[in-house]
Amino acid sequence: MTDDRRSDPDAKRRPATPQELKALSHPLRVRILRLCGDSELTNKQLADRLGVDPGTVYYHVRQLVAAGFLEPGEVRTGQAGALEKPYRSTGISWWLSAPLEQSDLSHGLAPVDAFQQELAEAGPASIATYARFSLHLSPEDVAELDRRIVAVIDEYVETDRERSHLPAHGGMFLLHRAPSGAASGPAEGPAGGAAGESDRD
């Protein structure tokens, strides 16, 4: 791999297909995908973990399997002795390019909704670090900031198996335009400091 490819996140990604975009358009499917990335889980385990009906989970799991985001794991024997079929993430969703203009925003943005739900469930004590800021940026600045931050995250994603024995952390990088007329200024709040004592998704 060349240095240019390592430093250019777009070079590592392909455009998401319409089916893949649709599969990632629901927060429950995004949450299922995250959970199956941490461990292989059955429909029932997912339903119990998410507090939803098993039939609902089954429908969303089928959508994720059809799009290639989940795959069946090895059939195993459950605690009650019955055979059960778990699912695991294929890991491809991170390596897709899904421009916002191709997303259906009529009911919100699924990854943001899923992250808010996960953070609310984990609680404030789960936060390991955060940085809040306000910046004046051109479209080119936004693209460069995004490229540089995603490139760093890519490095950790590519080596995550080496740290699978450590606690799982979650997060997301999101940049938005300030509301019209809102005051803007320099960075606010701590950056890079621990904001909690327990692990972070």
Side-chain angles (χ1 to χ4, degrees), residues 5-201:
R5 185 170 172 79
R6 280 198 298 268
S7 62
D8 182 6
D10 289 339
K12 303 177 182 180
R13 289 167 168 79
R14 64 166 175 81
T17 66
Q19 183 181 25
E20 289 168 339
L21 287 172
K22 182 178 180 181
L24 295 174
S25 67
H26 195 288
L28 186 57
R29 289 199 282 272
V30 175
R31 294 200 66 189
I32 289 171
L33 196 55
R34 171 59 57 79
L35 289 172
C36 289
D38 292 336
S39 58
E40 295 186 359
L41 298 171
T42 64
N43 281 318
K44 184 179 185 308
Q45 288 173 323
L46 287 166
D48 291 344
R49 178 70 175 76
L50 296 167
V52 297
D53 181 82
T56 300
V57 169
Y58 179 66
Y59 168 79
H60 289 294
V61 165
R62 287 179 61 190
Q63 301 297 309
L64 290 167
V65 171
F69 292 129
L70 289 182
E71 62 184 7
E74 294 284 339
V75 175
R76 64 196 186 194
T77 302
Q79 292 183 345
L83 295 180
E84 56 185 25
K85 182 170 67 174
Y87 293 89
R88 58 174 174 254
S89 169
T90 59
I92 68 171
S93 61
W94 177 255
W95 304 108
L96 296 177
S97 174
L100 282 174
E101 58 267 22
Q102 296 181 20
S103 303
D104 179 7
L105 303 181
S106 58
H107 300 292
L109 189 58
V112 176
D113 293 341
F115 177 73
Q116 291 175 325
Q117 293 169 17
E118 291 163 352
L119 182 57
E121 182 179 304
S126 70
I127 299 172
T129 185
Y130 71 92
R132 177 174 167 80
F133 55 88
S134 176
L135 300 171
H136 295 86
L137 303 169
S138 68
E140 293 76 17
D141 292 332
V142 169
E144 175 63 9
L145 180 60
D146 178 60
R147 184 194 67 77
R148 292 171 68 177
I149 289 178
V150 172
V152 171
I153 299 174
D154 278 354
E155 293 179 13
Y156 282 87
V157 171
E158 290 168 335
T159 59
D160 194 57
R161 288 185 182 275
E162 301 170 10
R163 298 182 300 279
S164 60
H165 60 289
L166 299 175
H169 288 62
M172 71 180 303
F173 168 62
L174 183 151
L175 196 66
H176 68 90
R177 289 189 298 274
S180 179
S184 60
E188 324 169 349
E197 294 303 321
S198 54
D199 61 18
R200 256 188 349 135
D201 151 346

